[in-house]
Amino acid sequence: MKQTVYTASPESQQIHVWQLNPGGELTLVQVVDVPGQVQPMVISPDKRYLYVGVRPEFRVIAYRITPDDGSLTEAGVTAIPGSPTHISTDHQGRFLFSASYNSGSVSVVSLANDGLPGEVVDVIEELEGCHSANITPDNRTLWVPALKQDRICQFTLSDDGHLVAQTPAEVTTVEGAGPRHMAFHPNQNYAYCVNELNGSVDVWELKNANGKIECVQTLDMMPPGFSDTRWGADIHITPDGRHLYTCDRTASIITVFSVSEDGSVIAVEGYQPTETQPRGFNIDHSGKYLIAAGQKSHHIAVYQITGEQGLLEEKGRYAVGQGPMWVVVNAH
């Protein structure tokens, strides 16, 4: 299995393309100059495209991925109604979702049979601080955290790409939590949400096929005695569902969690100092490596995931563009 790591650096308007070697080393393949501040990125389900959100002209650009080395060629572009904070796709590769924090909205873009982005088919507004859009493993329900409203809205994704509010239409977090990004357990029964403002993680149980969910655990992600401003950012789970990770930008740490076999309970195993102001990170498809981006250090670091606890051991760090804030990994 070949793996390619993509890092987005909005301040220098660049994407760095790296080969992830079996031993955890990175080899630079390509530097792509992007026409705008590149921020969120996602790989298409068929692994043929890298979709990126750019600003100040709000667009999604599709880059065609070369199978042999993962290099990129621009293939298409479409305008979107709000500044892209987070982008994702459904599991069938028919629709792209763009969450906009500044616009307080989530938009749905159609993806053509060839994978290129088309027209905007739906926009949901009045989602203050909308920070991500997360399709459930069954491809039926879109969970949309509205950070400033301490709620996660739930929509049914229709066959034509429209979002229909479910009943109930939302779940709420504790006041001041600030739900931000989410990850799903591979058994499809649990989801995890990192809360930006109070530095916690919520465990949500997927109760039934209609999208009903219930919070079954909330856990502090910050070290004991931490008294500075909490500023949680990203969350990811290993492919085997055994280890969960979050990052905090103020403390510049990655928190390591173990996950129970059924996914219902998490426990803190340790805290890994990392690059300054880690805005984003990701885990490779083998579950062996974690790659974190330092928005203020202008470097990325590669860690090996080790032992039963899933603790992190640094393997190397690499200079990238300015202000790196997004990491995705493709297997091909």
Side-chain angles (χ1 to χ4, degrees), residues 4-293:
T4 303
V5 176
Y6 301 94
T7 57
S9 301
E11 294 175 24
S12 54
Q13 301 185 17
Q14 293 173 316
I15 299 171
H16 283 65
V17 182
W18 306 86
Q19 177 182 307
L20 177 61
N21 300 310
E25 305 85 6
L26 294 180
T27 302
L28 184 63
V29 173
Q30 182 188 26
V31 179
V32 179
D33 292 322
V34 180
Q37 297 176 15
V38 55
Q39 294 198 349
M41 304 187 296
V42 69
I43 293 166
S44 64
D46 63 11
K47 303 179 181 180
R48 292 191 301 156
Y49 293 99
L50 177 72
Y51 303 117
V52 305
V54 299
R55 64 179 192 180
E57 295 182 15
F58 306 149
R59 292 168 294 163
V60 170
I61 302 175
Y63 288 94
R64 186 173 287 108
I65 297 172
T66 304
D68 59 346
D69 65 357
S71 60
L72 302 176
T73 305
E74 185 174 333
V77 62
T78 193
I80 51 177
S83 177
T85 302
H86 177 283
I87 60 174
S88 59
T89 72
D90 79 310
H91 299 304
Q92 297 175 356
R94 299 181 60 223
F95 304 105
L96 180 143
F97 313 109
S98 175
S100 177
Y101 179 89
N102 291 332
S103 299
S105 65
V106 62
S107 55
V108 184
V109 175
S110 64
L111 296 173
N113 290 335
D114 60 4
L116 297 180
E119 62 180 2
V120 176
V121 296
D122 203 0
V123 180
I124 304 295
E125 298 180 318
E126 298 183 359
L127 301 169
E128 293 183 26
C130 181
H131 224 297
S132 64
N134 311 271
I135 194 73
T136 53
D138 63 7
N139 212 51
R140 294 183 53 183
T141 300
L142 191 71
W143 291 8
V144 183
L147 185 148
K148 293 183 178 180
Q149 297 170 327
D150 293 321
R151 63 179 181 143
I152 302 174
C153 299
Q154 299 171 262
F155 301 94
T156 297
L157 176 65
S158 68
D159 289 341
D160 59 3
H162 287 273
L163 299 177
V164 180
Q166 295 186 349
T167 304
E170 63 185 48
V171 292
T172 56
T173 65
V174 299
E175 185 176 354
R180 180 181 168 99
H181 287 180
M182 301 184 71
F184 292 95
H185 193 279
N187 70 10
Q188 305 188 12
N189 294 325
Y190 292 90
Y192 313 92
C193 182
V194 61
N195 296 308
E196 175 179 329
L197 304 181
N198 74 355
S200 68
V201 177
D202 289 330
V203 180
W204 294 94
E205 182 181 3
L206 284 65
K207 300 292 286 188
N208 58 40
N210 296 322
K212 181 182 178 183
I213 62 176
E214 177 184 349
C215 185
V216 294
Q217 185 187 12
T218 298
L219 200 60
D220 191 353
M221 60 181 266
M222 301 306 295
F226 180 82
S227 59
D228 206 341
T229 301
R230 293 167 177 246
W231 202 19
D234 207 0
I235 184 169
H236 292 280
I237 192 169
T238 52
D240 62 8
R242 295 177 56 206
H243 309 296
L244 182 76
Y245 302 87
T246 63
C247 60
D248 180 87
R249 288 166 285 181
T250 299
S252 294
I253 60 170
I254 297 171
T255 303
V256 180
F257 300 86
S258 58
V259 183
S260 64
E261 187 172 354
D262 68 352
S264 64
V265 179
I266 60 175
V268 174
E269 297 291 349
Y271 309 93
Q272 174 66 45
T274 189
E275 297 295 321
T276 306
Q277 196 167 302
R279 166 63 176 76
F281 69 94
N282 221 313
I283 297 168
D284 83 312
H285 291 265
S286 73
K288 293 181 179 178
Y289 301 108
L290 184 151
I291 304 98

